[in-house]
Amino acid sequence: MTLLMERKPPAAAGAAPLRPEFRRGFAPLAGAAVLLTLVVALAVPAESWQGGWAETRDRTHAAAVLLGIPLALAAGCWQGGRERRRGTGDLLETAVRGALPRFLASAVPVALWVAAGHLLAAGCALLATWYCATGDSPYLVVPLTDSLLLGSAALAGQVVGRAVRWRLAAPVLATAGYAVLGFLSYDHGNALSALSPLIDTSVHRMPVWWQPWVSVVWVGGLAAAAVLALTARRPVTALVPLACATAAAVVLVQAGGLTRPNPVAQRQVCDTSTTPQVCVNTRYGKLLPQITEALSGLTGRLEGVDNVPVRFEDRVGRSRADEAELPMVTPLGWSVVRGKLTEPERYAWEAGTALVGRRAECDHTDPAVARTDAAVEHYLAPSPAEKLFDDLDARGSATDRAELKARQQARARLLGMAEDERRAWLSEYFATAKNCDRNGVPTL
């Protein structure tokens, strides 16, 4: 009796059929494949999203949907055909456990490993942004729901692998999944595009709070219906998740709008210690000290000057009459890389040109006025390419050399003024900054 009681632990261990599948075999390899694929896809253009939470959200979401879901489908499909490749399918049919438990014992480890691989890749992306984030906050719901989508895709793929007796089913299914997702996501004006988990978001817009969860019900419901139709004793039970998936699809298609304005992107954070003030989008609030420092020379030269814009602003759309548009910091990877301004001098020059809106407003500008504008820009924040163009004109024709001499003389006149005289002249200049002819415009 004692010996029989001591032999119970092995029987108890046999009550955990999922453990071997989790620890070895194909499931961990599938998770590693998803992790490696997503990490490589994210790492190649890392400077274009690293540092911005919305950019990180959109890039990881796109990679999860367009690469992760097809890979999960293929992994599940390959796992589904395992018993057939081994020639043990008929033997398993005689097992005590029913079809659904046997299916789940094989499918659940792959689904969970695939979801874990995605979560780890998304976590790495969030960590890569966290240390150089420029503002805003992480969007954690999106990677969580994406992991559920990948797990559902793995389950659906296993159904196809069980049902289709073809060794090439896995790559064909992955290709078909990618094509369908690409088709649904390509034309966002099409009502069916709402069925794609990849919706049209941007740094200024975000999904409505319920969209990711409804997408999970839509995709997960289809996967659950397929599983029950294949393995349940009563296939009619598949109608329950199918009905949930249909209801979710109707909600997505009929909703009318799956995104909303990002509330953080509508606000500004300002440094009021300068003239003009410097205001940046709250999403990039941590860049404000760097931007203020880059513009310090320009704002210092405008101290005490009248008729200048009240502030630099960074909002969507045209600036107001008393504002000037701040140079763009997006898309990331150009002006800003990993939370740092890459070219402060160029950034300051672009801000200086924004103060003189005459060139954008006028079809033609008087040559004397154009030279005056260029002299003011040179004084406030010279172009990094100014010396190059001066050298080209110096080696050019007589007309080019004459124009270069006129520009240099205009610069010299402005720089040669006394501080009070230059401040008064600039005040008069900015009062006429929108005039297209030289009437009333002080020229140099």
Side-chain angles (χ1 to χ4, degrees), residues 13 18 28 54 107 116 123 147 191 202 232-233 300 322 426 433:
L18 293 179
S147 293
S202 68
R233 291 182 179 180
D322 59 345
L426 286 172

Side-chain angles (χ1 to χ4, degrees), residues 243-259:
C244 294
T246 303
V250 171
V251 170
L252 290 171
V253 173
Q254 298 294 330
L258 300 178
T259 63

Side-chain angles (χ1 to χ4, degrees), residues 144-335:
L144 290 175
T145 52
D146 284 346
S147 293
L148 296 176
L149 292 175
L150 265 67
S152 300
L155 293 176
Q158 179 125 343
V159 173
V160 176
R162 290 285 185 93
V164 178
R165 297 176 176 272
W166 188 30
R167 284 185 174 271
L168 295 180
V172 170
L173 180 62
T175 304
Y178 180 84
V180 170
L181 289 169
F183 171 77
L184 292 176
S185 305
Y186 179 74
D187 184 9
H188 293 287
N190 190 334
L192 293 179
S193 66
L195 298 178
S196 171
L198 185 64
I199 62 175
D200 187 19
T201 57
S202 68
V203 296
H204 300 293
R205 300 192 67 81
M206 59 189 300
V208 293
W209 69 267
W210 51 263
Q211 185 276 333
W213 301 109
V214 175
S215 292
V216 169
V217 175
W218 154 238
V219 176
L222 290 180
V227 171
L228 292 176
L230 179 70
T231 63
R233 291 182 179 180
R234 294 184 178 88
V236 71
T237 57
L239 294 177
V240 176
L242 183 60
C244 294
T246 303
V250 171
V251 170
L252 290 171
V253 173
Q254 298 294 330
L258 300 178
T259 63
R260 61 185 177 89
N262 188 341
V264 178
Q266 310 303 311
R267 299 195 296 267
Q268 302 266 295
V269 56
C270 299
D271 186 335
T272 59
S273 64
T274 63
T275 303
Q277 300 172 11
V278 180
C279 299
V280 303
N281 194 295
T282 306
R283 291 194 59 251
Y284 310 105
K286 291 185 179 179
L287 290 175
L288 182 58
Q290 294 184 56
I291 292 175
T292 302
E293 176 64 24
L295 301 183
S296 59
L298 183 154
T299 55
R301 294 181 181 94
L302 289 176
E303 187 174 354
V305 177
D306 297 328
N307 303 316
V308 295
V310 174
R311 66 184 62 85
F312 286 107
E313 56 83 20
D314 180 23
R315 284 193 300 265
V316 179
R318 294 177 63 88
S319 302
R320 300 169 185 168
D322 59 345
E323 296 177 339
E325 189 171 355
L326 200 65
M328 295 178 61
V329 298
T330 55
L332 298 182
W334 295 89
S335 297

